């Protein structure tokens, strides 16, 4: 009689008890904690822990069937990332990262963050892929408004913040500070303290003053645990550029980071689903777009190029003319905070200049924005340069002359292009050069000093003052234009560098 084969998937298995939707294992507590149901102290092996949300329940509460806890396994707040599991075969037994039970032979392993678990535990692991263990500090939802140098931060709530007290809870409050180059960090206001909770709800507004002329201005938002006997403990925080908050109001969930990350790194502004819906409504109500036009009115012939927001299609319109249709995803435009930039690009292209790619029509549907543009069949100046293997022809000098006329026209109306390069100079079938791609352009007429401070452009063509974070104006385009001429005539890069140190050295010569 042969012995049955022992399953090598698990060496041992702990019992699981279902308590009002919580799948609980018995656990050994190294520190005394409060029961989440009856608020009594628990120590040792007199407790059960939920496999999904880590709630602690007293064993007497389970035996007497007096558990009143609801089910809240929503550890994955907005912005979390789902794990990508792959089945792997291992030789040596090890512990499951979720339940602690030993596994052998087969295990599911995340390809990105490395977490390993049984198949039965996959549904209980929170969607926190890519987050280091010391970054699992929770998330905070805020909304900001800016008016007359006053930034109002509406603190809504936080989810799944770190437990800082021995009772397994925290006493959190939110504090806001601002940084200016002249005065450094200045303390602002803070919210009231919420007692014994890991999911606090504040619904309070804090105000901080911002200097819009300071390009280094930052806003630091931190969550602290109140301690009546010593200094308050930092749970986590994050900082956002003041200029970014002036341009785009924040409205969404933000991951709490550690002390160094929250102070020294600016995170991008994110939007909630509600704000995304409002932005889409603003796009739909835009009066400049032509109604009655649909992408189905065009015969799509193929794709000319693609980018982050969408792609440019080769199409034939109702008049049987070849045109270029630029398609931009509303979702990507809105989530990147680029709605104003797209509309500004449209307004600039509509300006009557023979040296700028002509915009025929702008329209939209429920998913995308569309620009019907003049088709430049020859391609870009870079394509022509590579086709002739770097030989300089009369077409090259004529293209530079037309480009300089386009730059002069833009600077005359206080518009800086900020992305002058051979790939953005297009050649029509009649060999006329036209400047294109205005998604980085900026109208400086509303600024008192006719300057801006946003870091943008194509690497290698960016002016040194932009790298340095200084305020700059239309002269930045002249630098890019000069770099383009140098590279195409000398057949080599002006500067081969990853940062601005070499740029400063060249400029000082």
């Amino acid at each position: 009689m042969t012995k049955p084969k022992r399953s090598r998937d698990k060496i041992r298995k702990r019992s699981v008890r279902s308590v009002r939707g919580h799948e609980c294992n018995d656990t050994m507590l190294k520190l005394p904690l409060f029961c989440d149901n009856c608020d009594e102290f628990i120590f040792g092996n007199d407790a059960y822990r939920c496999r999904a949300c880590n709630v602690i329940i007293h064993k007497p509460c389970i035996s007497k069937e007096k558990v009143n806890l609801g089910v809240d396994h929503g550890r994955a707040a907005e912005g979390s990332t789902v794990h990508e599991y792959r089945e792997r075969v291992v030789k040596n037994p090890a512990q499951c990262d979720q339940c602690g039970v030993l596994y052998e032979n087969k295990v599911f392993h995340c390809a990105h963050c490395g977490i390993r678990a049984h198949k039965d535990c996959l549904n209980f692991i929170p969607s926190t892929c890519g987050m280091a263990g010391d970054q699992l500090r929770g998330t905070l939802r805020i909304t900001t408004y800016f008016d007359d140098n006053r930034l109002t931060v509406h603190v809504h709530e936080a989810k799944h913040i770190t437990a800082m007290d021995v009772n397994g809870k925290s006493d959190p409050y939110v504090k806001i500070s601002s940084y200016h180059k002249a005065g450094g960090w200045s303390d602002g206001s803070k919210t009231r303290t919420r007692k014994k909770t890991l999911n606090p709800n504040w619904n309070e507004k804090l105000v901080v003053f911002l200097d819009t002329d300071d390009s280094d201005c930052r806003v630091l938002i931190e969550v602290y645990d109140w301690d009546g006997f010593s200094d308050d403990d930092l749970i986590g925080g994050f900082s956002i550029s003041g200029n970014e908050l002036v341009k785009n109001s924040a409205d969404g969930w933000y991951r709490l980071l550690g002390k160094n990350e929250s102070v020294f790194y600016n995170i991008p502004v994110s939007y909630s689903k509600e704000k995304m819906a409002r932005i889409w409504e603003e796009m739909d109500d835009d009066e400049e777009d032509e109604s009655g036009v649909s992408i189905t009115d065009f015969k799509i012939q193929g794709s000319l190029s693609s980018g982050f927001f969408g792609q440019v299609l080769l199409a034939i319109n109702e008049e049987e003319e070849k045109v270029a249709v630029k398609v931009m995803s509303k979702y990507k435009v809105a989530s990147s905070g680029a709605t104003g930039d797209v509309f500004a690009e449209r307004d600039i292209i509509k300006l009557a200049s023979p040296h700028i790619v002509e915009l025929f029509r702008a329209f939209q549907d429920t998913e995308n924005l569309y620009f019907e543009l003049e088709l430049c069949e020859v391609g870009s100046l870079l394509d022509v340069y590579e086709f002739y293997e770097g030989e300089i022809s009369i077409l090259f000098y004529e293209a530079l002359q037309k480009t300089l006329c386009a730059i002069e026209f833009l600077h005359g109306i206080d518009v800086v292009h900020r992305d002058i390069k051979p790939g953005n100079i297009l050649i029509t079938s009649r060999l006329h050069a036209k400047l294109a791609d205005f998604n980085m352009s900026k109208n400086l007429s509303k600024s008192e000093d006719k300057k801006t401070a946003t870091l943008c452009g194509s690497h290698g063509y960016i002016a040194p003052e932009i790298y340095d974070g200084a305020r700059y104006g239309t002269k930045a385009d002249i630098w890019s234009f000069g770099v383009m001429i140098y590279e195409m005539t000398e057949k080599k890069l002006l500067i081969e560098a990853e940062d601005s140190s070499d740029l400063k050295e060249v400029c000082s010569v």
Side-chain angles (χ1 to χ4, degrees):
M1 182 176 179
T2 60
K3 295 182 179 180
K5 294 183 179 180
R6 179 174 61 89
S7 173
R8 297 177 60 84
D9 290 342
K10 300 176 183 177
I11 292 181
R12 64 185 181 90
K13 183 177 182 180
R14 288 154 60 182
S15 60
V16 179
R17 295 193 61 171
S18 179
V19 183
R20 294 185 66 87
H22 295 275
E23 300 292 331
C24 300
N25 292 121
D26 57 334
T27 185
M28 172 68 72
L29 300 179
K30 298 181 180 179
L31 294 175
L33 299 177
F34 277 113
C35 172
D36 289 308
N37 183 62
C38 65
D39 290 334
E40 291 186 8
F41 265 117
I42 316 173
F43 186 72
N45 60 353
D46 197 24
Y48 281 92
R49 184 191 299 272
C50 178
R51 300 165 64 184
C53 61
N54 290 326
V55 66
I56 301 295
I57 305 176
H58 214 187
K59 280 188 177 180
C61 292
I62 296 179
S63 61
K64 296 178 182 179
E65 297 183 354
K66 292 184 178 180
V67 178
N68 298 317
L69 292 175
V71 181
D72 181 16
H73 297 331
R75 289 182 61 99
E78 290 190 27
S80 299
T81 306
V82 179
H83 296 279
E84 184 179 336
Y85 293 109
R86 298 176 183 174
E87 188 175 356
R88 296 184 62 181
V89 177
V90 294
K91 296 182 180 180
N92 300 321
Q95 284 186 323
C96 170
D97 291 331
Q98 176 64 17
C99 67
V101 177
L102 291 175
Y103 59 77
E104 189 181 74
N105 192 14
K106 292 182 179 180
V107 64
F108 285 83
H109 176 269
C110 179
H112 300 293
C113 67
I115 189 172
R116 293 183 286 186
H118 298 111
K119 182 178 180 180
D120 296 338
C121 293
L122 299 183
N123 294 331
F124 301 101
I125 299 177
S127 299
T128 52
C129 184
M131 298 173 61
D134 59 348
Q135 292 180 329
L136 298 176
R137 303 170 182 268
T139 53
L140 178 69
R141 186 178 180 231
I142 63 169
T143 304
T144 64
Y145 313 91
F146 181 79
D147 183 28
D148 194 20
N149 290 339
R150 289 165 56 93
L151 179 70
T152 302
V153 180
H154 188 175
V155 182
H156 296 277
E157 58 180 328
K159 291 291 185 182
H160 313 296
I161 62 175
T162 305
M164 305 297 289
D165 300 333
V166 294
N167 60 2
K169 303 291 184 180
S170 293
D171 303 324
Y173 66 88
V174 179
K175 178 183 177 182
I176 185 171
S177 307
S178 62
Y179 174 83
H180 295 90
K181 192 172 184 179
W185 288 102
S186 59
D187 293 336
S189 53
K190 61 182 182 180
T191 64
R192 290 175 293 178
T193 303
R194 296 290 183 254
K195 299 289 186 177
K196 296 182 180 179
T197 179
L198 299 182
N199 299 287
N201 192 325
W202 288 283
N203 196 24
E204 299 182 32
K205 294 182 179 180
L206 307 177
V207 178
V208 65
F209 290 91
L210 295 181
D211 183 6
T212 56
D213 294 330
D214 188 355
S215 60
D216 296 327
C217 178
R218 293 210 308 272
V219 176
L220 175 64
I221 301 174
E222 297 173 305
V223 180
Y224 282 90
D225 173 58
W226 177 82
D227 194 328
F229 301 100
S230 61
D231 295 337
D232 297 340
D233 299 319
L234 175 67
I235 296 177
F238 55 90
S239 61
I240 306 177
S241 169
N243 291 327
E244 189 73 15
L245 291 173
V246 171
K247 180 181 178 182
N248 301 308
S249 59
D251 185 359
W253 289 90
Y254 290 84
R255 184 180 300 169
L256 299 179
L257 306 176
K259 182 177 181 180
N260 292 333
E261 293 88 348
S262 62
V263 173
F264 295 108
Y265 296 100
N266 288 334
I267 62 175
V269 171
S270 64
Y271 294 151
S272 64
K273 294 180 180 179
E274 293 78 12
K275 181 168 183 179
M276 290 282 289
R278 292 197 300 269
I279 294 175
W280 279 36
E281 290 178 1
E282 293 176 0
M283 292 182 183
D284 294 338
D285 296 337
D286 186 61
E287 298 178 354
E288 295 293 333
D289 288 342
E290 296 189 22
S291 59
V293 183
S294 173
I295 188 62
T296 58
D297 298 334
F298 296 84
K299 298 178 183 178
I300 306 302
Q301 303 297 306
S303 177
L304 296 175
S305 63
S306 61
F308 176 75
F309 292 143
Q311 57 182 330
V312 180
L313 303 176
L314 173 63
I316 300 177
N317 61 13
E318 306 95 318
E319 300 176 357
E320 298 299 324
E321 296 178 346
K322 289 186 177 181
V323 294
V325 179
K326 186 174 183 179
V327 185
M328 293 167 285
S329 167
K330 280 188 175 181
Y331 176 79
K332 291 183 178 181
V333 170
S335 59
S336 302
T339 306
D341 296 336
V342 170
F343 288 158
E345 178 185 4
R346 178 200 60 193
D347 296 337
I348 293 174
I349 301 177
K350 290 180 68 175
L351 299 173
S353 173
H355 310 301
I356 294 178
V357 173
E358 185 178 357
L359 173 67
F360 299 128
R361 289 179 295 185
F363 57 98
Q364 60 179 295
D365 54 27
T366 57
E367 298 294 332
N368 300 309
L369 300 170
Y370 302 94
F371 291 167
E372 182 186 353
L373 301 167
E374 175 186 6
L375 178 63
C376 299
E377 295 180 297
V378 175
S380 68
L381 182 60
L382 180 61
D383 297 331
V384 175
Y385 182 80
E386 292 177 347
F387 178 79
Y388 287 104
E389 299 180 350
E391 293 184 7
I392 304 301
S393 62
I394 188 65
L395 176 61
F396 172 76
Y397 294 108
E398 289 182 353
L400 293 181
Q401 180 185 7
K402 301 298 183 182
T403 304
L404 196 58
C405 292
I407 295 175
E408 182 182 12
F409 171 77
L410 294 175
H411 292 181
I413 56 175
D414 297 325
V415 172
V416 55
H417 188 277
R418 301 196 290 191
D419 198 19
I420 302 294
K421 60 181 181 180
N424 288 338
I425 301 172
L426 304 183
I427 311 298
T428 67
S429 58
R430 296 184 178 182
L431 302 182
H432 293 165
K434 297 202 173 186
L435 186 61
D437 199 355
F438 291 84
N439 57 357
M440 292 188 185
S441 301
K442 176 78 172 181
N443 193 328
L444 305 177
S445 58
K446 297 181 180 180
S447 176
E448 294 182 359
D449 58 354
K450 301 295 179 65
K451 291 183 178 181
T452 185
T454 306
L455 175 58
C456 65
S458 297
H459 182 71
Y461 299 94
I462 301 177
E465 59 267 25
I466 301 180
Y467 276 118
D468 293 338
R471 295 183 65 80
Y472 60 89
T474 55
K475 293 182 179 179
D477 286 342
I478 304 302
W479 170 275
S480 303
F481 184 75
V483 171
M484 180 180 67
I485 296 176
Y486 177 86
E487 291 184 354
M488 300 186 76
T489 54
E490 297 296 326
K491 299 181 178 59
K492 63 179 181 180
L493 297 176
L494 176 63
I495 302 171
E496 297 181 3
E498 297 294 333
D499 50 40
S500 61
S501 58
D502 290 342
L503 289 173
K504 294 179 182 178
E505 183 178 351
V506 171
C507 293
S508 62
V509 176

